[in-house]
Amino acid sequence: MKTSIDELAVFGGRPAFSEKLHVGRPNVGDREALTRYFHDILDRRWFTNKGPYVEEFERRIAEMMGVKYCIAMCNATIALEIAIRALDMKGEVIVPSMTFVATAHSLQWQEITPVFCDIDPETCNLDPAAIEKMITPRTTGIIGVHLWGRPCVPDVVEGIARRNGLKLLFDAAHAFGCSYRGRMIGAFGDAEVFSFHATKFFNTFEGGAVLTNRPELAERIRLMKNFGFQGYDNVIYIGTNGKMTEICAAMGLAGLARLDEFIAVNRRNYRTYEACLAGVPGVRLLPYGDDEKQNYQYVVAEIDETRTGIERDMVVGILHAENVLARRYFYPGCHRMEPYRSYFPHAALLLPHTERIVRRVVSLPTGTSVDPGAIAEICGILRLVSEQGGEIRKKMQAVAIR
Ligand SMILES: *Cc1c(COP(=O)(O)O)cnc(C)c1O
């Protein structure tokens, strides 16, 4: 455990970890089952297009979330694009800027304007009062994001959508296995989209899915993800290729077998961070709500520079030098990325909470490849940095000038 600032790797000390610690290294499910499925797929020579593993995977996910329809896809970005189109969103759609850029891109890709809306600084999710203020005659929908697995107050947002005649989609990329007031995420709005990308805590290598209870919407999405084919040579709709492959579905099934284990490890890690960071001035773990079940996929700390004496970016630099690859998710906010910053150069004026939060938060390493010993070490560094922030800051600036 490092006890003096001269031991920090930024000042030439030995890095606390000899190998890089990542925020999200892929979780691997039941390896034997996956190997069996793989041989089975090769033997059957059925690699994609409504294969038996994809069908089983869709059935399992729908059942788990208590939703009627699940349509598995190649990734969440395509799933979002298709769901947006199938819902007939156009004009303007209200989204948070505090999200992965794919949420905004999936709209702009089809020339729908993402209207960035501010967040509640407590939950970092869309602020319902702010949503109401962003509605114009051109607004056709809302895309809420369950950021870091925290439910985007789905019942309240549903009410806003209903009262204003807006379509409602949730980007649930972070919220697989989470619930809100006893109802699983996946069951809210007109539809919800999960991501099964390798870095999400449950993965299918790459993958995604749309969940909905509406039969006509599910049917349209199914057609659109397969070029609009109904039957062998009858195309009844414009479509694209969003299909999930059999091997990806098999990876998903192998992962589902160990889902509870992944969650238990994440929860243990979160609790370890919580215990080790207790009493560290100016470093606060973002809390989870009492009325939600969590997957604890993200451990997010907020750095209060006025108390640590050192800003978030320097803290991230210090951690990186120690081989702790903490990430500034989702800095600088979609509104400061292209093409949005050129389209809406003044967007920041309406996003005061987003602007502040993106400069203060940092995601810390967790998942099945990070153990409590490593977490104690990381927290020890954070404690040192926060207790002697002012001095470290001065020293870092002096080194930079030299
Ligand atoms: C990862 C992620 C996506 C994109 O998912 P892919 O499956 O990689 O396309 C979309 N939205 C959010 C919030 C994400 O974190």
Side-chain angles (χ1 to χ4, degrees):
M1 198 70 82
K2 303 203 171 188
T3 52
S4 105
I5 69 174
D6 294 320
E7 293 171 65
L8 291 173
V10 270
F11 300 133
R14 224 170 78 164
F17 298 93
S18 54
E19 287 187 21
K20 295 191 189 320
L21 279 184
H22 295 268
V23 164
R25 286 201 73 195
N27 286 323
V28 179
D30 182 341
R31 202 181 271 254
E32 267 104 71
L34 180 62
T35 311
R36 245 183 1 260
Y37 299 153
F38 183 54
H39 287 294
D40 189 39
I41 290 166
L42 296 185
D43 290 345
R44 192 173 2 204
R45 299 201 185 211
W46 192 343
F47 298 167
T48 184
N49 289 60
K50 268 171 89 66
Y53 284 122
V54 168
E55 299 223 306
E56 184 182 341
F57 181 68
E58 290 181 337
R59 212 162 36 236
R60 291 277 304 277
I61 301 287
E63 201 178 273
M64 202 176 142
M65 306 310 166
V67 176
K68 287 205 187 94
Y69 308 98
C70 167
I71 302 108
M73 296 208 201
C74 55
N75 62 56
T77 305
I78 296 285
L80 280 167
E81 285 171 16
I82 292 177
I84 287 163
R85 189 156 185 143
L87 277 168
D88 208 22
M89 287 181 174
K90 42 172 101 81
E92 295 176 358
V93 171
I94 295 169
V95 289
S97 174
M98 181 68 173
T99 179
F100 183 58
V101 74
T103 319
H105 278 356
S106 60
L107 290 162
Q108 191 64 51
W109 187 255
Q110 38 200 335
E111 287 170 39
I112 299 167
T113 302
V115 172
F116 297 116
C117 178
D118 210 7
I119 51 173
D120 170 343
E122 261 312 295
T123 62
C124 299
N125 275 323
L126 278 181
D127 170 9
I131 296 177
E132 306 251 22
K133 288 193 197 126
M134 305 308 277
I135 297 174
T136 76
R138 294 191 70 223
T139 310
T140 61
I142 303 169
I143 303 182
V145 179
H146 305 300
L147 196 76
W148 299 320
R150 294 215 62 186
C152 176
V153 278
D155 46 358
V156 177
V157 180
E158 277 176 345
I160 296 174
R162 200 176 325 109
R163 282 198 303 281
N164 293 280
L166 303 176
K167 306 286 170 48
L168 177 59
L169 186 60
F170 286 105
D171 178 338
H174 301 172
F176 190 78
C178 300
S179 76
Y180 177 71
R181 301 197 168 154
R183 213 167 127 205
M184 291 303 281
I185 295 296
F188 293 94
D190 290 301
E192 299 211 50
V193 173
F194 286 121
S195 169
F196 309 130
H197 181 260
T199 57
K200 309 304 200 247
F201 98 109
F202 167 74
N203 81 87
T204 62
F205 299 119
E206 288 250 19
V210 183
L211 277 77
T212 180
N213 280 313
R214 293 175 39 192
E216 75 295 351
L217 181 66
E219 181 55 21
R220 200 172 330 163
I221 291 171
R222 248 183 225 297
L223 288 167
M224 283 182 160
K225 71 119 206 276
N226 188 30
F227 315 102
F229 270 106
Q230 190 179 57
Y232 281 114
D233 39 32
N234 186 27
V235 171
I236 65 160
Y237 218 93
I238 184 169
T240 180
N241 183 356
K243 297 189 301 294
M244 177 180 272
T245 63
E246 283 289 275
I247 189 62
C248 288
M251 180 67 171
L253 292 170
L256 284 182
R258 293 189 48 193
L259 200 65
D260 291 342
E261 233 171 285
F262 298 161
I263 294 176
V265 168
N266 284 350
R267 190 192 306 113
R268 176 203 68 190
N269 285 354
Y270 182 84
R271 298 274 177 247
T272 308
Y273 272 111
E274 198 173 41
C276 296
L277 289 175
V280 175
V283 181
R284 184 179 82 107
L285 268 200
L286 288 195
Y288 288 113
D290 298 331
D291 49 4
E292 55 195 62
K293 189 176 123 195
Q294 267 302 328
N295 59 29
Y296 298 95
Q297 180 188 350
Y298 294 94
V299 177
V300 182
E302 185 178 356
I303 310 287
D304 178 356
E305 185 188 339
T306 62
R307 296 183 63 206
T308 57
I310 184 165
E311 63 263 38
R312 188 271 318 262
D313 288 355
M314 277 189 170
V315 175
V316 169
I318 290 165
L319 291 173
H320 279 215
E322 305 290 348
N323 277 331
V324 177
L325 297 191
R327 300 289 305 269
R328 302 183 296 178
Y329 292 145
F330 286 96
Y331 181 80
C334 296
H335 67 289
R336 289 189 179 274
M337 294 177 172
E338 289 297 354
Y340 313 108
R341 72 171 168 218
S342 297
Y343 290 172
F344 321 113
H346 307 299
L349 295 173
L350 291 175
L351 303 169
H353 295 304
T354 305
E355 285 274 299
R356 181 168 163 274
I357 293 284
V358 294
R359 285 172 175 73
R360 289 164 68 101
V361 291
V362 52
S363 288
L364 299 169
T366 184
T368 46
S369 59
V370 178
D371 61 35
I375 292 170
E377 183 83 34
I378 295 168
C379 293
I381 295 164
L382 285 171
R383 182 178 290 274
L384 184 64
V385 167
S386 117
E387 285 173 352
Q388 301 185 52
E391 202 180 328
I392 293 172
R393 188 170 193 282
K394 259 189 254 147
K395 198 163 163 170
M396 277 176 84
Q397 281 171 335
V399 170
I401 288 162
R402 246 202 345 255

